[in-house]
Amino acid sequence: MLAAGAVVSATSTAWAEEAADARKCEVSSIQAMAPDDTTIVSATPTAAPVPHCRIEGFVTTTNPGPNKVNFRLQLPDTGWKNRYYFIGMGAAAGYVPSDSQIPPGNPLYKGYAVAGTDTGHQAHMVDWSFLRKNEAQAVDHVHRGAHVVAVATQKITKDYYDAAGMYRYHSGCSGGGRMGVMAIERHPEDFDGVLLGAPGGRSSATMLKFIAAAREMSREPGAWVSPAKFAMVDKKVTAACDGLDGAKDDIIADPRECKFDVAKLACSGADGPECLTQPEIRTIKAILAGPQGPNGKLTEGFPISNMSTWPSFLGQTPPPWSPEPTIENLRKSPSGYVIGDSLARVYFGPDYDALKQFDFKDPKQINAWWEAAKRFDYGQPYPAELGGFSKAGGKLLLWNGVSDSCCSDIELEQYYNDAGKKLPGGKAELEEFVRFYRVPGMAHCGGGTGPQDAPDQMLDALVAWVEQGKVPQSIVTHRGAERVQMQFADPQTKVVSGVMVPPPAGAARDFLLCPHPQVARFNQSTEKGAVDNAANWSCVSPAKKTASHN
């Protein structure tokens, strides 16, 4: 015990002496490194999770403004890998993070300098009201805040380590994915590599989907579908469609191929746990179909796979619900309804009740929605203009869970295809710097029955592409504590901090992810447990069905 104590003491002393000799982790030193628009509030030598300099500050934005965009920058004392990591923030952000959201954990463990921002406002992360109340905060949240923080914290990082350059990465999902889109489209010079997951759908039509789904769930007596009923339907659907990809593994690899009719589960008599009432059938069919406008479908509906994850957006309790945009209310009201209503009040006024007032059949209201999206510069369809990012030499990995009931993988595929059409070199140019991966079984940013460490393994692939020129091909990912390889876990305890998405359900196994348009195919091995081993899967062309790289 004495020896162990001596080691800890010596280590702590060495760190303290190094920090004292460097005399860098103090406000005056950091302020001297910062751009003129940046104010350093504190610079604190910090021991956990690894010894680092923890810097708090803000960038003052103007025109419109002034506004404070708060940030935190964490600079490791030793072992810096010449890498900088920017944390993409889910939903509406509203707080300054220390941990990465997706992948979860703290990148300090892997030698990254780590930056994050509240995007220019402090509020509940499901509250979009600031977009209407404060123009400067709106502009900062949409794109400017993350950009100015990236500029400031990258300069400080390079000066702190006296580095001529470094590798700059951005990773996020959902709202964090939206931030990634803004970076590559509006500020393509900010990052060398971007890992971009499920970016809120292609537009704010995702919010229309949530409003429409909440209306269906409260449409008539008996229309609300319980989590238990969704779980029952999930089992029936999985049993019917599991083998469509050639493997019996309780995974529907492509929900578009599953044509299961939930009307088959109709109760023959009284309601029961293993059947659906007619109102429940109507609800599920409407949610699968997606919101319908006067000219047809407005956006994709919920995918039919992993239906047991639907309550994450449809709620755990029947109506009536409160639209109050707080984390506390999400325990009682559907998150999809809460965030959809919050944005509708931005578009149409603080007293607007989307559940009661929005008329999906009225073309004037549909047009008013898109006019508001344009007016607030929030929620317009992403233009998929990646020419600037291509010229800057950036690398991009797009990814989406196929069972994501928020942000459709179909829409992200459309984004990928549109980006290729707009580049001078077409698809060939796109493939020089972009890859797109679908993740089987995964719900919104994680969960479901898919792999847990898909973002972690994709980040590894992105780093190898940026730093070594190794083009990503198939990527092996994992489910189950004994197999998952979480990038930013504590190396001693394996604990991952800042986890926001529940782990997936199911026994330990591998998943092979393939770059679009290739798909994973099982080799039909009869060996026990073969379906759980990535070695028994190959990436193949969906048209030719021939094996490719593995």
Side-chain angles (χ1 to χ4, degrees):
M1 291 298 291
L2 180 60
V7 169
V8 171
S9 176
T11 302
S12 301
T13 300
W15 167 69
E17 289 175 351
E18 179 182 341
D21 289 341
R23 307 190 72 83
K24 289 182 177 179
C25 192
E26 54 187 27
V27 171
S28 60
S29 295
I30 304 300
Q31 186 65 67
M33 304 173 191
D36 292 342
D37 60 2
T38 303
T39 300
I40 303 304
V41 176
S42 65
T44 309
T46 305
V50 300
H52 69 282
C53 181
R54 177 176 170 133
I55 300 163
E56 309 283 349
F58 62 87
V59 179
T60 301
T61 54
T62 56
N63 297 318
N67 186 44
K68 288 183 178 181
V69 184
N70 298 295
F71 68 82
R72 178 171 299 131
L73 177 61
Q74 302 168 87
L75 301 173
D77 289 354
T78 60
W80 183 53
K81 303 294 186 183
N82 275 74
R83 293 173 182 161
Y84 165 97
Y85 184 99
F86 194 97
I87 301 170
M89 296 291 285
Y95 70 94
V96 181
S98 294
D99 294 316
S100 169
Q101 292 185 349
I102 305 292
N106 198 309
L108 283 170
Y109 283 122
K110 286 298 184 75
Y112 288 86
V114 186
T117 176
D118 61 4
T119 71
H121 68 283
Q122 296 276 313
H124 287 285
M125 65 185 298
V126 292
D127 183 358
W128 272 264
S129 63
F130 66 92
L131 292 173
R132 185 180 186 86
K133 296 175 181 177
N134 189 309
E135 183 184 7
Q137 289 183 353
V139 173
D140 283 333
H141 177 70
V142 171
H143 72 97
R144 184 177 64 179
H147 168 63
V148 297
V149 166
V151 170
T153 54
Q154 288 174 17
K155 182 181 185 305
I156 293 170
T157 300
K158 288 194 292 184
D159 288 358
Y160 187 85
Y161 294 112
D162 193 22
M166 61 188 178
Y167 299 110
R168 305 163 302 160
Y169 299 97
H170 183 293
S171 178
C173 185
S174 194
R178 184 203 65 82
M179 289 175 66
V181 172
M182 293 298 100
I184 60 179
E185 291 191 350
R186 301 197 188 191
H187 305 284
E189 71 286 351
D190 281 357
F191 301 102
D192 303 303
V194 174
L195 182 61
L196 197 162
R202 185 73 185 269
S203 69
S204 62
T206 298
M207 301 298 198
L208 290 176
K209 172 169 65 175
F210 289 152
I211 294 168
R215 183 169 294 176
E216 292 297 336
M217 291 278 278
S218 58
R219 181 191 65 250
E220 62 180 304
W224 184 75
V225 183
S226 70
K229 282 290 186 82
F230 280 129
M232 179 273 293
V233 179
D234 189 353
K235 291 180 181 179
K236 303 289 187 182
V237 171
T238 302
C241 295
D242 176 18
L244 292 176
D245 63 346
K248 295 289 288 183
D249 58 354
D250 293 327
I251 294 288
I252 301 174
D254 188 346
R256 295 171 296 182
E257 299 296 321
C258 180
K259 308 302 181 183
F260 186 88
D261 185 357
V262 295
K264 295 178 180 179
L265 303 178
C267 299
S268 57
D271 187 12
E274 294 298 315
C275 66
L276 295 173
T277 65
Q278 289 303 316
E280 290 170 337
I281 290 172
R282 286 193 289 272
T283 296
I284 293 175
K285 284 193 169 186
I287 294 173
L288 286 168
Q292 304 296 309
N295 298 316
K297 185 168 67 173
L298 296 171
T299 189
E300 300 298 325
F302 284 33
I304 197 169
S305 57
N306 293 94
M307 203 177 289
S308 58
T309 66
W310 282 20
S312 64
F313 289 104
L314 299 180
Q316 304 288 330
T317 58
W321 304 305
S322 166
E324 184 181 8
T326 65
I327 298 299
E328 294 76 18
N329 185 42
L330 296 188
R331 301 187 183 98
K332 301 173 286 185
S333 301
S335 63
Y337 162 59
V338 170
I339 62 178
D341 183 85
S342 179
L343 187 62
R345 291 172 192 261
V346 170
Y347 284 178
F348 302 128
D351 297 324
Y352 191 82
D353 187 334
L355 200 59
K356 296 178 180 178
Q357 294 180 252
F358 193 83
D359 184 354
F360 284 88
K361 297 302 181 183
D362 184 353
K364 292 183 179 179
Q365 292 206 29
I366 299 297
N367 290 338
W369 181 276
W370 293 119
E371 288 169 1
K374 182 178 181 180
R375 186 168 66 254
F376 287 99
D377 193 24
Y378 188 88
Q380 299 181 84
Y382 304 135
E385 298 280 2
L386 300 185
F389 196 60
S390 174
K391 290 178 182 177
K395 305 299 183 187
L396 172 65
L397 257 62
L398 301 167
W399 62 276
N400 216 115
V402 303
S403 298
D404 191 333
S405 50
C406 164
C407 314
S408 171
D409 64 313
I410 298 172
E411 290 189 318
L412 195 55
E413 179 185 347
Q414 293 167 350
Y415 179 90
Y416 174 86
N417 291 334
D418 288 349
K421 293 174 184 176
K422 292 185 177 185
L423 290 168
K427 184 180 178 182
E429 181 180 348
L430 182 74
E431 291 182 345
E432 290 177 0
F433 71 103
V434 184
R435 288 292 183 274
F436 170 43
Y437 291 87
R438 281 190 167 90
V439 186
M442 179 183 281
H444 185 51
C445 299
T449 53
Q452 183 176 357
D453 62 0
D456 304 74
Q457 302 310 310
M458 286 187 281
L459 180 60
D460 255 355
L462 178 64
V463 168
W465 197 7
V466 169
E467 299 180 16
Q468 303 169 28
K470 184 178 179 182
V471 179
Q473 303 293 347
S474 58
I475 299 175
V476 178
T477 61
H478 316 87
R479 185 182 70 194
E482 60 268 46
R483 295 200 190 191
V484 296
Q485 300 170 24
M486 309 300 285
Q487 281 275 355
F488 304 140
D490 183 317
Q492 301 300 320
T493 66
K494 307 303 180 184
V495 172
V496 180
S497 57
V499 175
M500 302 187 72
V501 180
R509 62 160 291 180
D510 299 341
F511 291 85
L512 187 70
L513 306 187
C514 302
H516 177 77
Q518 295 180 337
V519 295
R521 285 286 183 265
F522 182 51
N523 69 4
Q524 301 303 317
S525 169
T526 57
E527 183 179 329
K528 184 178 180 181
V531 76
D532 300 330
N533 190 334
N536 295 313
W537 293 75
S538 299
C539 289
V540 304
S541 164
K544 297 180 179 180
K545 309 291 189 202
T546 56
S548 180
H549 46 253
N550 189 355

